[in-house]
Amino acid sequence: MTKPHRWFFPVIIPVLLVFGQVISFDFLKYDDTINVSENALLLNPAVGHLMSFWKAPFLNLYIPVTYTVWFGSAVVSIAVFNGRLDPGLFHLLNLLVHTANCWLLFLIIRRVSARKDESGAENSSMIGAALGALIFGLHPVQVETVSWITGLKGVLGGFFALGAMYVYLGLERRSSGNRALNYGVSTVLLVLAVLSMPAAVTVPVMVFFIMIWKDRRISWKMAGPLVPWLVIGVTVMAITRAAQPVAEAAKDYAWLVRPLIALDAMMFYAHKIVWPDVLAIDYCRTPAWVAGLSWQNPYLLMALPAAGLVYGLRRRPRWLALAAAFAAGILPVSGLVPFAYQVTSTVADRYLYLSMAVVGMASAAVVARNPRTWVIGLFLALVVLLGVRSHDQCRKWRNTETIMGHTLQYFPCSFRANLNYGIALMSRGEFAEAIPFYETAGQLKPDDPLPYYNLGLTFAATGDNARCDQMYMKLATMDQAKAERLKQAAAEFKAIGGPVSESAHGKGGDQP
């Protein structure tokens, strides 16, 4: 019988080879700055600063576990790199946690699908588990979460969520004493998951459907302990909802339209899983934009055969349960209930991170049940293709300019990409070149003060005082604090006859 640990290196080495390049990547001027590189609570680490992450939401998110890990990384970075935060260390953290998640998924697949008999099914189950874990780990939709330092909340929440799943799914094998201990451990892991990534509130629902997939049925003995998990999830969801108020623009669509928004999101994700052609940081798929497409939306047309496929699974309840587990993973950010990031887009690659574990389970099950050479070869080729595609996509995340430029190539409608590409240009002294991108950002969101603030800085840097004054007057009616900051920066420009450090610190991005 093959020992599971013998598959450790075959699972993790491909992941390290594909994503190892992230260690040389920079902080992005898109949330990485406000979360890490320019976060005063991390730049000056103290116990009081650490506790502030636990006492109240920070930047409208209550993810104290994630901030605690960043805090610890900052302490190490400052000690090792002469008082500075090194982006490579933070990228390495994302990489290692994602790699650990791939191994955890391998163990989960073994736990829920291992079959031992004399026909060699045990070996095919091992191969299937390895291929499933690699599909999860190497799929291009995972690139955003792994390559973006701010994506730590996804990989870290995924780590604790998968850990909770693994321990819980093994409860039935334990004696009563060990069962209580293991349930306690799994519950602690769940709490850590939701305090790292609020979307982990769906883990109890995912586990419920995974158990149906595993055993074809479920008893109260196994399902009952999930009830306290649901209470924990609802509590954290309420805290998160209060901490991250939903903008009116995200709420301003009728309940009857929301199922269409959610259906569009589900089909969008199905498309990106099957054919990850164009991946970007912003897809501009706001509720208003999707609703405007109405029945001309190709994703809604795709939903018809998809619904037929789901209907066909009624005779295969185990696979239907697995499909439900996948859907549960993205339900909080599907659009059925408004959430803050919908102002930018309902869909984002990072929202798929946990649900991709279900895709890995399904892939493993197909291989384990059809262990023919050509089936294994087909999935192995798929893993290679996904790895090559992810390696290429990963390079787009090298710095702010590369990822924002890539996004603008396909989605020039992106307010955030225009704004942050302009910030990237301004950061290296290309003030005049940044102006068109700020102007486009201002046209896309006329009520947002950030484009006008950064335009004012570029005009001050290039000596266009008249247009800088225009931006000041506009800002004064929108955000007096930013107007005063602009006035001060412009005075410093004029005094020294050139740019000052403030010009490189336009704040782009928002909390996703």
Side-chain angles (χ1 to χ4, degrees):
M1 180 173 59
T2 306
K3 299 290 185 181
H5 70 266
R6 294 183 180 177
W7 289 87
F8 180 74
F9 289 110
V11 168
I12 69 167
I13 287 178
V15 178
L16 294 174
L17 289 176
V18 169
F19 289 106
Q21 58 185 305
V22 302
I23 299 174
S24 64
F25 291 3
D26 203 353
F27 290 113
L28 295 188
K29 293 184 180 298
Y30 182 74
D31 289 351
D32 286 352
T33 49
I34 58 177
N35 280 320
V36 181
S37 64
E38 295 178 15
N39 187 339
L41 300 180
L42 300 185
L43 291 170
N44 302 286
V47 175
H49 291 169
L50 173 61
M51 295 308 299
S52 67
F53 295 127
W54 289 89
K55 291 177 180 178
F58 182 76
L59 296 174
N60 294 331
L61 276 181
Y62 191 64
I63 49 173
V65 172
T66 299
Y67 279 112
T68 297
V69 173
W70 275 329
F71 185 92
S73 301
V75 171
V76 173
S77 183
I78 289 171
V80 174
F81 296 99
N82 298 319
R84 69 181 179 89
L85 299 186
D86 180 70
L89 179 64
F90 290 87
H91 279 296
L92 176 63
L93 179 61
N94 279 37
L95 173 61
L96 293 179
V97 177
H98 177 63
T99 305
N101 290 344
C102 296
W103 180 245
L104 265 175
L105 182 60
F106 173 86
L107 296 178
I108 289 172
I109 294 172
R110 291 288 303 128
R111 175 154 285 183
V112 300
S113 63
R115 296 182 301 167
K116 301 178 181 180
D117 56 32
E118 297 178 357
S119 64
E122 166 73 10
N123 190 50
S124 67
S125 180
M126 287 283 194
I127 295 173
L131 291 172
L134 287 172
I135 286 174
F136 163 80
L138 298 179
H139 199 287
V141 299
Q142 306 288 52
V143 169
E144 176 178 304
T145 309
V146 181
S147 304
W148 187 23
I149 288 173
T150 295
L152 176 69
K153 61 179 177 286
V155 292
L156 189 64
F159 174 76
F160 291 122
L162 291 172
M165 288 183 188
Y166 176 73
V167 177
Y168 191 95
L169 291 169
L171 290 181
E172 62 184 352
R173 303 181 181 182
R174 306 295 180 183
S175 62
S176 58
N178 289 335
R179 181 182 173 85
L181 175 61
N182 279 262
Y183 178 68
V185 170
S186 65
T187 302
V188 170
L189 290 171
L190 175 71
V191 172
L192 292 173
V194 296
L195 293 179
S196 303
M197 174 182 66
V201 296
T202 62
V203 168
V205 181
M206 295 180 71
V207 170
F208 176 81
F209 287 115
I210 289 171
M211 287 192 297
I212 294 178
W213 174 64
K214 174 177 177 286
D215 298 323
R216 293 185 175 87
R217 56 184 176 78
I218 188 168
S219 64
W220 175 252
K221 181 180 179 181
M222 285 300 294
L226 291 175
V227 175
W229 283 22
L230 289 172
V231 174
I232 293 171
V234 171
T235 302
V236 173
M237 185 179 294
I239 295 173
T240 303
R241 187 77 170 180
Q244 192 176 29
V246 180
E248 290 300 321
K251 294 189 291 185
D252 192 22
Y253 60 103
W255 276 100
L256 292 176
V257 178
R258 293 179 186 179
L260 296 181
I261 303 297
L263 186 59
D264 173 85
M266 291 290 183
M267 297 314 301
F268 175 89
Y269 291 134
H271 165 207
K272 293 304 178 183
I273 291 172
V274 174
W275 192 255
D277 50 350
V278 176
L279 301 173
I281 203 168
D282 179 8
Y283 295 103
C284 304
R285 298 188 78 84
T286 62
W289 187 85
V290 174
L293 289 178
S294 187
W295 293 105
Q296 296 179 347
N297 187 343
Y299 284 133
L300 296 185
L301 298 178
M302 287 171 54
L304 296 176
L309 177 61
V310 172
Y311 179 75
L313 291 177
R314 72 190 188 283
R315 296 179 180 177
R316 297 176 179 270
R318 293 183 64 206
W319 289 97
L320 193 59
L322 206 57
F326 171 86
I330 53 178
L331 194 61
V333 287
S334 65
L336 281 177
V337 178
F339 57 99
Y341 189 69
Q342 278 188 296
V343 174
T344 300
S345 178
T346 296
V347 296
D349 294 352
R350 58 188 173 275
Y351 294 150
L352 269 176
Y353 190 81
L354 202 52
S355 286
M356 284 302 299
V358 181
V359 175
M361 292 179 191
S363 302
V366 171
V367 173
R369 285 161 176 73
N370 302 277
R372 299 179 180 86
T373 302
W374 70 269
V375 174
I376 295 173
L378 183 64
F379 273 86
L380 186 59
L382 177 61
V383 165
V384 172
L385 289 174
L386 292 175
V388 171
R389 179 73 181 89
S390 288
H391 188 275
D392 178 67
Q393 178 65 20
C394 196
R395 291 186 297 172
K396 308 292 193 301
W397 288 82
R398 181 168 298 279
N399 54 49
T400 306
E401 187 174 347
T402 54
I403 185 56
M404 297 304 167
H406 169 74
T407 299
L408 289 175
Q409 181 180 354
Y410 297 98
F411 302 99
C413 56
S414 171
F415 166 78
R416 291 298 169 188
N418 276 285
L419 179 66
N420 288 285
Y421 192 75
I423 291 173
L425 293 175
M426 188 169 64
S427 296
R428 67 184 195 186
E430 298 181 11
F431 296 94
E433 291 80 359
I435 291 175
F437 297 98
Y438 291 143
E439 291 177 335
T440 300
Q443 293 167 5
L444 290 168
K445 283 193 177 182
D447 297 330
D448 195 303
L450 284 173
Y452 308 114
Y453 173 72
N454 285 288
L455 273 172
L457 290 176
T458 59
F459 292 143
T462 55
D464 193 340
N465 295 324
R467 296 180 74 183
C468 180
D469 290 341
Q470 291 176 2
M471 293 302 105
Y472 171 79
M473 296 299 294
K474 191 172 187 67
L475 275 174
T477 65
M478 303 172 70
D479 189 326
Q480 188 61 44
K482 280 190 173 59
E484 292 306 315
R485 284 174 57 196
L486 173 60
K487 185 177 182 179
Q488 180 182 357
E492 293 181 17
F493 275 131
K494 189 174 182 179
I496 66 175
V500 294
S501 60
E502 174 68 21
S503 64
H505 293 286
K507 306 299 185 193
D510 58 358
Q511 277 293 341

